Amino acid sequence: MQVAKLLSLWTGLGYSYGPAARALLAELPIDTDRLAPAERLQIAASADAGAVAETALRVLIAQQRYGDGLSRADTALYLRALRQIGATDIAADMALE
């Protein structure tokens, strides 16, 4: 499971998953501690729209609410959203915490 956590944090550092990493992630059990669907959509939509402050605020709220208990998929989602709005340094810092 530590390898899976590491792979999920790669997103914050700007790495993409190769075929072997994607295959490993596909075989892992599904996380139960997840953002609500509306929270996921809000983060993705604000990042897609380039709404820097809104995206950063939504990610901060999710991070404070769930902390380290957030699923790997949702962690990857919010790290990718931060990178998408240009906050690559913040995404990298959060991934390395």
Side-chain angles (χ1 to χ4, degrees):
M1 286 307 222
Q2 293 296 11
V3 171
K5 182 172 177 137
L6 178 64
L7 289 175
S8 70
L9 297 177
W10 276 5
T11 303
L13 299 174
Y15 296 111
S16 58
Y17 303 124
R22 291 192 307 270
L24 174 67
L25 289 173
E27 294 179 15
L28 294 173
I30 295 174
D31 292 319
T32 56
D33 297 325
R34 300 199 55 143
L35 291 171
E39 290 174 302
R40 277 188 245 118
L41 288 172
Q42 290 166 345
I43 290 171
S46 62
D48 287 345
V52 175
E54 182 182 349
T55 303
L57 182 59
R58 292 191 183 286
V59 167
L60 179 62
I61 289 169
Q63 178 67 21
Q64 287 182 342
R65 182 177 296 151
Y66 299 97
D68 291 339
L70 195 60
S71 74
R72 294 179 299 275
D74 288 337
T75 299
L77 169 90
Y78 76 64
L79 292 174
R80 181 172 289 120
L82 288 171
R83 293 188 60 75
Q84 190 173 347
I85 62 168
T88 56
D89 55 337
I90 296 171
D93 286 347
M94 290 178 92
L96 295 173
E97 280 184 348

